[in-house]
Structures are given as C-alpha cells and as structure tokens.
Amino acid sequence: MQIDSTACRVTHPSLRVAREAKGLSLRAAARDSGIDPGHLSKVERGEKQLSIEALYRLAVVVDLDELAAQLKPLLPRAVA
C-alpha cells in the first residue's frame, strides 16, 4: 500500500479489500476507528478522503501495520 502524504490518498490494495480480509463489516470498522460509516463507505468508493489521523486509526483496526507505521510520525504528538 502506498500513500501520498500531500493528499493522503491510499492506493492499491483498497481499504475495502483490507477490511473484508480482516472479516470486518463496514459498520464495525467505522465504529472501531471512530469514523462515520457513511463517510467510510464514500472513502472506500474513492469519493472522499480521510484525515491522516482517521486513516491511521483505520489502519490499526484493519491490521495494516506498515501503513500505520508510515502514518504515525505524521500524527500530532497528542494522538501518537
């Protein structure tokens, strides 16, 4: 998975594929990462973006450890 930190767009594989591979429903992943389910649905369809903080939380929830490690240094100290 690659990230473009300027726009914070996540590219292949998709977040939906990672979420489904973890066996999480959209609602469960949204709840566990503190993201509105409707917003997460739009993110998975490529219609919206997540903040770096929200993407980090989602990466932790769906066990995308490499992505979470790349994002962690970009988080405000209070979050990290």
Side-chain angles (χ1 to χ4, degrees):
M1 183 168 293
Q2 299 173 329
I3 59 170
D4 172 356
S5 61
T6 57
C8 202
R9 289 189 182 266
V10 177
T11 59
H12 187 32
S14 73
L15 292 173
R16 178 180 291 146
V17 170
R19 175 182 57 75
E20 289 174 347
K22 175 79 173 164
L24 289 172
S25 69
L26 185 130
R27 288 192 184 278
R31 179 195 63 234
D32 294 350
S33 59
I35 301 168
D36 177 78
H39 186 76
L40 181 55
S41 177
K42 290 177 183 178
V43 168
E44 288 186 348
R45 292 193 312 265
E47 297 171 5
K48 296 283 184 178
Q49 296 179 27
L50 290 173
S51 68
I52 291 173
E53 183 180 333
L55 182 57
Y56 171 77
R57 292 191 317 261
L58 183 61
V60 169
V61 167
V62 298
D63 292 334
L64 295 173
D65 298 332
E66 186 177 324
L67 176 60
Q70 290 176 357
L71 292 171
K72 193 168 185 173
L74 304 174
L75 298 173
R77 286 198 185 271
V79 176

